[in-house]
Amino acid sequence: ENGVVIGTMEFDKVGPDPHTGENALAAVHEVVKELNISFEDVVVVMTYRSPRVEHWGVVFEHHFDIPSYTDFMCSTDEELKRWEWLDTAMNPFKVAEAYYAMGYNVAMIDYEGITNAGKDL
């Protein structure tokens, strides 16, 4: 079977982004439309990372320029950005449900199981 695989963490950000107004659902829809693919032929693959607290630590370390975890959690400077991460990337089942509601097939992969098997995505 032939197919196209595209992926980015940005596709986790469903709904209008409070910083940019961009919407991953709309972006994926545009790609599908431009490639002239039917919704039924698309599978959105989501990864579930566990333990969840470690995933949250990675978000803090790699996506925020804040000196301490206390500042990260308590600062109002990047409150909307922090909420966006909590509401999307940290909530993969909500993201999967949003894609499913648009008519896409969705598959969930356990990231820890993949890495324990010596594989990579």
Side-chain angles (χ1 to χ4, degrees):
E1 187 173 319
N2 294 326
V4 175
V5 177
I6 56 172
T8 172
M9 284 181 61
E10 295 301 315
F11 288 162
D12 286 351
K13 298 185 176 170
V14 299
D17 183 287
H19 303 289
T20 64
E22 295 174 354
N23 183 339
L25 293 171
V28 170
H29 180 74
E30 284 300 312
V31 170
V32 169
K33 189 170 97 179
E34 284 297 316
L35 294 174
N36 198 25
I37 304 170
S38 70
F39 281 78
E40 297 83 32
D41 293 332
V42 175
V43 178
V44 176
V45 179
M46 306 293 307
T47 56
Y48 182 85
R49 294 175 180 249
S50 60
R52 303 303 296 149
V53 70
E54 287 182 17
H55 188 193
W56 186 237
V58 169
V59 168
F60 160 61
E61 290 175 6
H62 297 284
H63 300 284
F64 288 82
D65 188 26
I66 295 178
S68 73
Y69 186 74
T70 300
D71 291 336
F72 169 66
M73 289 303 296
C74 298
S75 171
T76 57
D77 293 342
E78 296 195 73
E79 181 177 23
L80 286 177
K81 181 179 176 183
R82 184 175 58 241
W83 182 253
E84 176 72 10
W85 278 93
L86 271 172
D87 194 40
T88 57
M90 292 301 298
N91 195 349
F93 291 101
K94 176 186 177 182
V95 174
E97 182 179 36
Y99 282 106
Y100 183 77
M102 285 192 65
Y104 293 109
N105 297 299
V106 179
M108 186 69 69
I109 295 177
D110 173 28
Y111 189 78
E112 184 178 28
I114 294 293
T115 57
N116 287 345
K119 308 294 182 191
D120 195 6
L121 294 176

